[in-house]
Structure formats: structure tokens, C-alpha cells
Amino acid sequence: MSLTFNDRDEYKRKVIAERLAKLIDSSTDISPTVIDGNWGTGKTEFSLKLLDYITTSYPEKKVIYIDAFKEDHCEDPLLSVTAAIASALPPSKQKDLIQKAIPALKFTGSTALKALAGWLLKQEAGKLADDFQQALKDTSNAAIDGAMENLVQEHIDAESNVNALKDKIREFSSENQIIIIVDELDRCRPTFSIDMLEKIKHIFDIKNVFFILVTNLNQLKASVNHIYGHSVNSQSYLDKFIKYTLTLPETFKPDGYTITHTSEAHWKGLAAKAPEQTASCHLMKEQIGELLKVRPLSLRETETLFRYYSIFQTLSEIRINEERLYSWNLTALSAIYLYCFAEKSAVTNFPSKDSLISLIDSLNIKNINLNVEDSYIIPHYFYVIYGMCKENSISTGEYFNLHEDSIKKIDEIFEGLNGRGFSRFNFTKTMKATFDTFSLM
């Protein structure tokens, strides 16, 4: 069953697909287009929904989806792309394309020929396979001259073969525009992902053949530097291949006005599908919302947090619920978040002073606006850390950059929470007990 925007569009991304399809259908040359996004932001789901949308809305187009990570085992991306195009053609045309592809693939996939070329161009001998180096040492000058002649001839033949392949693809695309969505490019080996870019540029730059590359651009830049070195400007390199970039947004307006991060909506959706967690999630929805804003979580990270929340609720003898002290619920919830996203050494070594300081950094508390005149904007999880600092004799003024008057005001707010269970409560022990739950202790 295919994914569609009609089934689910909780992040209001259908409009992006509609506008991108409109651009593809126009005369504007924007191929290849890159859909950029951090890992876990829903790029694959969007690309599959985009595949369905274009296929349904523009039936005259041939839309092809390639999971590049699954193709990563191939030596040459040319094989992956050509096979994908062939699979979208009628059987009679498949045969024609394959016959034209084989000669081109023989050259572009020839590892030995590339090695010989590298040697002839006086590249580092260390880059050649040991057995090939030995063979070269044993070869006479006459043989090398012959190899050079063969290389030149094979290059001429290869160019002819590649042009024949391009002509055949051009023939097919003149009847129906071919749109190729290449997903998961950022998860591939650097050699494969960069070779894919170069093949798209030099072989598949054909009218009516449109590429959409779904990737994390930062990772793609890292691949460029891995292949060509850090002296190469990776952005400038990619600019030679990419004509248009759009970033998949991580916020949307569910009501048309209120800006909401996708992680908040995703958490609500996960909670709605897990009836055993719905009540406690609703009880702590404000506090959960604050933790989701510590830093923007990806959809995958949100799923990780919810999974650990569910594990805790299953394993703990004392669950987060309305019968518990508010301070206990708040500390357990904060501990679950920290177990997921804090440095593992801080969790393991807790409650040492260094680990507590690391947890402070994980919650980004130093950058919180601690304006005591507007105390309602101070997130609740701050008081968990504040309480642990007091219990472990850590100077709150030093670590939170608070003046004496501010400390006094925060202490008043802190003590004012006594009626909600803070007066008879130990934050450190509760935090440690929550961590231990995940260790199955």
C-alpha cells in the first residue's frame, strides 16, 4: 500500500509537493533538485507521498523511486539508474534500453581500466591494487604503449556507447517525461553518492529527464570532502551539479496561524495511538511540550523519546500518573528525556558533579531566559536541575549566571511549589532511580 497525502498530511506538506510538481511541469530548468533535511525529519515519507502525488496527478509522466542506500552495493550508479528507468518501460522497450546500456556499463564499471588510467596519469601508486602494481612493474614499455593506445580507443568507444545510451533514453523521454526520485543518498558510501551526482550530470543531463535528490546536504558536503579533501569547497562543488534546493520545513501551521514544530504534533499522534499512555501524556502535556523545545527534535528522535517513555511506564513500579507527586512526575519525565539525549557518560556517572553539569548543558539551561519578573516563561524542568544543584551543594548563581536578587526570587518560586510535593522530595534519588529503570535494575 502506497503512502499518500490523502491518508495523512499532519505536517501540511502536500502544498510543497503541489508546488514542486508545478515547477517540474514548467519550462524552468531545475533538475537536479535537492530536497534537503536533517536525518529523521520525514524525508523518505515525503518522497514516497510525492511519488504518489505526481503519479496520480500527472499520469502522463513516468515517476521512478530509487532507494540509493539499497543500491549502494552496486559498483556503478549508472547501473542503478538505468535499471530503474528500464523497469518503468514496457517489456519491448526494456530490451532496447538494456542493449544500449551494456556497452556503456562495461566501460564505466571497469575497475581495472580506471586503475590503469590512474597509473598512466602518475597518480599515487599506493592507490592501485597490489597485484596490479606488480603486473605494471613486469610490463615492458612496448606493452604500456599498447595499453595506452587501447585506453584511448576504449575511451572513444565509451563516449560513443554512452551517447547511444543517452539517445535511447532521450527517445523514451520524448514520449513521457521521466522523473527520478533518488532517496537516502546521504546514507550511501561517499564514493557511491558522489559518483551518482557525477553520473547524473554527465550522462543523464537529458531533456525531459528530471532528478529529485532527497538527502541531508551537510552529509553530502562531508562526502565531497571525504573524496576530494577538505581543501575543496564542498558547497561550490555541489553548486555545479544542483540547480535548485528546498529544505523540508520542520514547522507548520496546523490552524493556519500558530507555528508548531513537527515534533509536538508527532508526539500527540504517537500518544493518541497508544491508549495506555494517553492519560499520562495529557497530564504532563505542558511539561512534555517544554522538553520538546529544549532543541528541535527530529521525527525519529521524537519516536525514540516516546518509546523510552513507554518503556518506563511499563517497567517502573511507580508510573507517571495523577496519583504521584507533581515533583516526582516532573523529575521522572526529565530523566527520561536526559536518558535519551544527554551524554551517556553523564547518565552512567550520575550523580557526580561533572555529570550533573553535563545534564545542565543537555537541557540548554544556561540559555534559558530566567527573567524572574516573568517566571511563567521559565520551563518546569529548570526546577528539577535547580533542586539537584541545591541537594548537591552546587552554586546556582555560578552555573545559571544569576544575581543574588534573582536567586532569592527563584528560591521563593521554588519554595512556593512545596504544596505540589517539592518539600518532601529528593530530586537526585528520583533521577537516579529513573536511570536505573532503563538498566533493568
Side-chain angles (χ1 to χ4, degrees):
M1 182 178 178
S2 61
L3 283 171
T4 74
F5 288 109
N6 294 331
D7 295 332
R8 188 177 68 235
D9 187 25
E10 60 270 59
Y11 313 124
K12 309 300 181 186
R13 289 173 172 174
K14 182 179 180 180
V15 64
I16 300 173
E18 291 172 339
R19 291 175 178 175
L20 179 56
K22 184 177 181 180
L23 277 173
I24 294 171
D25 199 44
S26 71
S27 59
T28 307
D29 182 14
I30 58 167
S31 177
T33 282
V34 163
I35 298 177
D36 177 33
N38 293 322
W39 279 326
T41 53
K43 298 190 300 297
T44 291
E45 180 166 324
F46 176 78
S47 63
L48 291 172
K49 290 177 178 177
L50 176 65
L51 170 69
D52 173 80
Y53 175 78
I54 299 177
T55 301
T56 304
S57 303
Y58 299 85
E60 74 281 2
K61 301 182 187 298
K62 297 287 187 183
V63 191
I64 300 163
Y65 176 85
I66 299 175
D67 184 335
F69 187 58
K70 289 183 178 178
E71 298 292 325
D72 188 62
H73 64 280
C74 292
E75 182 67 29
D76 192 348
L78 177 60
L79 174 60
S80 302
V81 176
T82 305
I85 293 174
S87 67
L89 298 174
S92 59
K93 294 184 177 181
Q94 284 183 10
K95 186 176 181 180
D96 288 345
L97 181 60
I98 292 170
Q99 287 177 341
K100 294 296 183 183
I102 289 174
L105 286 165
K106 280 182 178 178
F107 179 81
T108 60
S110 176
T111 304
L113 192 59
K114 289 180 180 179
L116 178 58
W119 183 84
L120 291 169
L121 293 172
K122 297 182 180 180
Q123 294 184 2
E124 270 188 90
K127 293 180 180 178
L128 304 179
D130 291 341
D131 55 346
F132 191 68
Q133 291 181 52
Q134 187 59 46
L136 288 173
K137 290 177 182 178
D138 298 338
T139 303
S140 66
N141 288 335
I144 293 175
D145 290 342
M148 177 59 117
E149 183 179 342
N150 289 336
L151 177 64
V152 172
Q153 184 59 52
E154 286 197 33
H155 183 77
I156 294 171
D157 293 342
E159 186 174 357
S160 175
N161 293 332
V162 168
N163 286 335
L165 174 62
K166 292 173 68 173
D167 287 342
K168 183 57 66 174
I169 295 174
R170 189 177 291 110
E171 175 188 328
F172 295 146
S173 63
S174 65
E175 301 173 9
N176 301 94
Q177 185 183 35
I178 298 173
I179 300 171
I180 303 172
I181 301 173
V182 183
D183 192 16
E184 303 280 22
L185 199 58
D186 46 355
R187 296 180 65 194
C188 297
R189 290 175 290 113
T191 50
F192 187 85
S193 58
I194 299 308
D195 197 16
M196 174 72 82
L197 282 179
E198 293 176 348
K199 288 296 192 321
I200 290 172
K201 172 69 174 177
H202 299 303
I203 297 180
F204 293 102
D205 187 12
I206 300 170
K207 184 179 180 181
N208 266 353
V209 177
F210 192 101
F211 279 87
I212 300 172
L213 311 178
V214 186
T215 187
N216 180 324
L217 268 180
N218 286 332
Q219 183 58 38
L220 206 55
K221 290 177 185 178
S223 294
V224 172
N225 291 133
H226 178 86
I227 299 298
Y228 295 109
H230 289 278
S231 61
V232 172
N233 185 317
S234 57
Q235 183 62 62
S236 297
Y237 174 88
L238 292 177
D239 285 344
K240 294 188 298 182
F241 298 93
I242 299 167
K243 293 182 181 176
Y244 179 62
T245 300
L246 68 92
T247 301
L248 206 59
E250 296 182 29
T251 61
F252 68 108
K253 297 177 181 178
D255 57 3
Y257 301 97
T258 308
I259 297 177
T260 302
H261 196 275
T262 53
S263 61
E264 297 177 55
H266 197 40
W267 178 279
K268 292 177 182 177
L270 293 170
K273 294 176 183 177
E276 68 276 15
Q277 313 300 350
T278 301
S280 60
C281 288
H282 182 74
L283 175 68
M284 302 298 290
K285 64 179 181 179
E286 182 180 353
Q287 293 74 22
I288 291 169
E290 290 173 342
L291 285 167
L292 292 174
K293 293 175 182 175
V294 170
R295 65 175 178 83
L297 295 184
S298 70
L299 300 180
R300 189 173 298 139
E301 287 174 324
T302 305
E303 290 173 0
T304 297
L305 180 59
F306 187 82
R307 187 183 312 116
Y308 275 83
Y309 180 90
S310 300
I311 290 170
F312 177 79
Q313 291 290 79
T314 300
L315 294 179
S316 179
E317 295 180 2
I318 308 175
R319 300 180 179 184
I320 296 173
N321 61 48
E322 59 185 4
E323 296 178 3
R324 303 276 78 82
L325 295 173
Y326 171 77
S327 49
W328 190 93
N329 284 339
L330 180 61
T331 307
L333 180 64
S334 302
I336 295 168
Y337 179 93
L338 289 168
Y339 190 87
C340 289
F341 304 119
E343 291 291 335
K344 294 307 176 186
S345 59
V347 173
T348 303
N349 298 322
F350 183 81
S352 69
K353 181 178 179 179
D354 287 343
S355 68
L356 183 51
I357 292 171
S358 180
L359 297 185
I360 292 173
D361 291 338
S362 297
L363 287 171
N364 206 24
I365 285 178
K366 290 182 180 179
N367 294 324
I368 291 174
N369 181 5
L370 297 175
N371 184 352
V372 295
E373 301 304 321
D374 294 319
S375 59
Y376 67 90
I377 68 173
I378 299 176
H380 294 73
Y381 58 79
F382 166 78
Y383 294 105
V384 173
I385 296 294
Y386 192 77
M388 288 195 293
C389 286
K390 291 170 73 71
E391 290 168 356
N392 292 278
S393 302
I394 293 178
S395 170
T396 53
E398 177 184 352
Y399 287 101
F400 302 134
N401 194 27
L402 295 171
H403 298 296
E404 187 175 341
D405 290 343
S406 296
I407 294 174
K408 186 181 295 185
K409 180 65 175 177
I410 286 180
D411 278 337
E412 290 176 2
I413 298 170
F414 188 74
E415 294 302 324
L417 295 172
N418 283 350
R420 303 177 78 181
F422 279 85
S423 61
R424 305 177 303 280
F425 186 74
N426 187 292
F427 294 93
T428 306
K429 289 182 179 179
T430 304
M431 181 76 65
K432 182 67 167 63
T434 305
F435 289 160
D436 289 345
T437 300
F438 295 114
S439 300
L440 305 183
M441 297 175 64

